[in-house]
Amino acid sequence: YQRRVHGDTHVALLAIKNVNTRRETRFYWGKRVCYLANGKHKKGGFRTAKQPHLRTKVRRIWGKVIKPHGKSGVVKATFKKNLPGQAIGRRLRVYLFPSNI
């Protein structure tokens, strides 16, 4: 989380594996980030009314890498919904889309 008096729970600092400098973070700017969490009950999307076997307990919170943080390869990411407290120190998935290559 970004530290403030009340906390800023939709912003997180991410250390990406094998990224050690500020210049190396430029590739990841704008890439999507996903935090996966397990819920208590199965839920689904718009297809699950007719196909209940597609329901799952996994919850996804999507975000985006917005800029570097410091000089050691850490990046700052914002998320659509607030991250839960259990997300501190946990792994997130960094997807390589949208791609500029």
Side-chain angles (χ1 to χ4, degrees):
Y1 292 132
Q2 184 175 358
R3 290 180 11 169
R4 289 189 182 160
V5 175
H6 297 293
D8 196 1
T9 56
H10 70 279
V11 177
L13 299 176
L14 309 177
I16 301 172
K17 190 184 288 187
N18 297 329
V19 177
N20 299 317
T21 63
R22 189 179 185 100
R23 179 176 286 174
E24 292 173 354
T25 63
R26 180 168 290 177
F27 173 78
Y28 292 96
W29 294 355
K31 300 292 190 274
R32 301 290 303 271
V33 180
C34 181
Y35 173 72
L36 298 176
N38 285 324
K40 188 173 182 180
H41 302 290
K42 287 189 174 185
K43 286 188 174 183
F46 62 95
R47 292 190 185 118
T48 58
K50 294 182 180 177
Q51 298 173 333
H53 65 279
L54 295 178
R55 293 182 182 172
T56 179
K57 291 184 177 182
V58 177
R59 309 288 190 264
R60 294 169 298 279
I61 301 176
W62 287 96
K64 185 187 290 189
V65 175
I66 55 169
K67 65 181 194 173
H69 180 82
K71 296 181 180 179
S72 62
V74 177
V75 295
K76 188 180 283 193
T78 57
F79 290 84
K80 302 235 179 213
K81 295 182 180 179
N82 292 342
L83 288 175
Q86 294 90 346
I88 297 175
R90 300 274 305 271
R91 289 179 185 243
L92 290 93
R93 294 182 179 187
V94 178
Y95 289 94
L96 298 181
F97 64 86
S99 178
N100 296 331
I101 299 174

